Amino acid sequence: MQAYRQKSPYTTALYLLVPEHQSVKGVKKKVYQEPAKDMIFFASFKTFGGTESTTNSAYTVIDTAIVETWYRPDIKSDCAIMRACDGAVYEVIGEPENIDMRNQVLKFKVRRVKGGA
């Protein structure tokens, strides 16, 4: 069995946004605070362009990306990440994959929904 090798360098600076769950009128809502300086990490960030759609006269674009980074146990499926270069916020889709269960490399998919009327 061959060890997993990273495919590209981890050069994109990202902030981890951990949600706080607040109850607003009896409904739980995720709220993200401003990122702390110690929550920065570097990763490989690959986008695939956006998927465009028009629903009820609202134009939306869904951007997806694959993120690969060193293992961090605090990255969970309810977290979000923010790119340091432009402040774009992406939510984590599904559970991050711990490659080969070695606690060395973490890979996950993210998405951002944007658009206008």
Side-chain angles (χ1 to χ4, degrees):
M1 183 169 99
Q2 193 173 21
Y4 183 82
R5 295 197 169 235
Q6 69 186 51
K7 299 195 175 29
S8 60
Y10 300 153
T11 57
T12 305
L14 302 170
Y15 286 104
L16 178 63
L17 303 175
V18 179
E20 292 180 4
H21 297 281
Q22 296 180 350
S23 181
V24 179
K25 295 184 181 180
V27 177
K28 287 194 175 194
K29 187 175 183 180
K30 286 195 286 188
V31 177
Y32 298 105
Q33 301 297 327
E34 285 293 316
K37 297 291 181 196
D38 63 339
M39 297 304 265
I40 194 166
F41 65 99
F42 290 88
S44 166
F45 189 88
K46 296 181 184 176
T47 60
F48 300 102
T51 303
E52 301 175 5
S53 67
T54 304
T55 306
N56 296 335
S57 300
Y59 175 75
T60 59
V61 177
I62 301 173
D63 289 333
T64 57
I66 297 288
V67 178
E68 185 177 313
T69 187
W70 297 115
Y71 179 78
R72 286 183 62 143
D74 55 350
I75 299 178
K76 307 260 189 241
S77 61
D78 64 344
C79 293
I81 61 168
M82 183 175 81
R83 280 195 311 219
C85 62
D86 62 357
V89 177
Y90 291 78
E91 61 184 12
V92 176
I93 302 173
E95 194 67 31
E97 181 183 1
N98 181 2
I99 304 292
D100 291 337
M101 301 304 288
R102 292 181 171 205
N103 294 349
Q104 290 179 341
V105 178
L106 197 66
K107 192 172 184 177
F108 54 96
K109 195 170 191 179
V110 294
R111 80 168 164 210
R112 174 175 73 153
V113 179
K114 61 181 181 174

